[in-house]
Amino acid sequence: MTNQTSGANEGAAVSVSSPNLRTVANTLLGALNTARPCEPVRDVLGGDLDAAYEVQELLIQSRVSTRNRRVGRKVGLTAPAVQRQLGVDQPDFGVLLSEMQRGEDEEIPYSQLIAPRIEAEIAFVMGRDVEDTERGAVLSAVDFVVPSLEIVDSRIANWDIGIVDTVADNASSAYFVLGSGKATLNDYVPAAAEMVMTINGQQVSQGTGADCLGDPINALLWVAETAAALGRPLRAGEVVLSGALGPMAPLKAGDVVEARISGLGTVTATASKELS
């Protein structure tokens, strides 16, 4: 793995064997498929963040198919308060798959989730492959930005997670929804965005673009560099969820969530009613 992840490794020198990596990946996959949580995996991985990213890739490889393609990345741990809570000084990332995307007119399958939460974000849609990770090159590769909602869900019981747990668990990703409003970076300043999110008409979160690493563009640049270093650079058509603009909120069966992001309009997600 690259030095982008080693900084949060807390000096761990544990060498995690390939069978252990596969075992952890299978455990997380089982929790995902059954909607039954598992115990934390950080001790099995020896607190090794590099190993956690290897587990994440094994997990993704197990899920990818012709019907479930890689369609982008999500950036997590963009809020300073969350970074302090987990004892890290950098974000993390996960992989977006096509089966994770839902339209605004589609329900989020609540019965497939464990303890979901939802957050509002700015999503970048790439218009060209990112061949150069310098700021100007990355920004010029962006086609447009849209409002988005991300449903996160930890496969670790009771959200008892550290950085190693969430990375191995594909950054606690579950589903995402993109809104129809869009803007180009020529006439939109993500850092100045203002966000309000409601659930069933009641406000549950608010924030600004500056609450996401100081600027959602910073999250985009970080993941572009990290992805390139890992040999999987951002590609044309991919979506990058740049991180929460405000606090996440618990998602319950039947909830209707709407986020309004200034300059981009609204995005809505609806959780299906829980099965009896």
Side-chain angles (χ1 to χ4, degrees), residues 84-105:
R84 288 193 297 270
Q85 180 183 18
L86 297 183
V88 299
D89 59 359
Q90 62 179 317
D92 71 347
F93 77 91
V95 177
L96 299 178
L97 300 174
S98 55
E99 288 183 353
M100 297 164 64
Q101 184 170 3
R102 289 292 185 273
E104 292 186 281
D105 59 345

Side-chain angles (χ1 to χ4, degrees), residues 10-121:
E10 300 180 355
V14 177
S15 177
V16 184
S17 67
S18 294
N20 276 346
L21 296 176
R22 175 59 67 182
T23 297
V24 172
N26 287 341
T27 296
L28 291 168
L29 185 62
L32 173 72
N33 290 336
T34 63
R36 295 179 178 177
C38 63
E39 293 302 308
V41 301
R42 53 187 177 268
D43 291 341
V44 178
L45 297 178
D48 189 331
L49 189 55
D50 291 348
Y53 273 108
E54 292 185 52
V55 168
Q56 180 189 116
E57 179 57 25
L58 290 172
L59 182 66
I60 293 301
Q61 289 176 7
S62 296
R63 298 179 64 187
V64 165
S65 68
T66 55
R67 294 185 177 182
N68 194 24
R69 303 172 293 105
R70 297 174 190 252
V71 296
R73 323 299 161 94
K74 62 150 290 182
V75 186
L77 302 181
T78 56
V82 177
Q83 290 186 356
R84 288 193 297 270
Q85 180 183 18
L86 297 183
V88 299
D89 59 359
Q90 62 179 317
D92 71 347
F93 77 91
V95 177
L96 299 178
L97 300 174
S98 55
E99 288 183 353
M100 297 164 64
Q101 184 170 3
R102 289 292 185 273
E104 292 186 281
D105 59 345
E106 297 178 285
E107 290 187 335
I108 305 300
Y110 195 84
S111 63
Q112 297 179 17
L113 300 169
I114 298 171
R117 302 174 181 180
I118 192 164
E119 56 193 29
E121 311 184 19

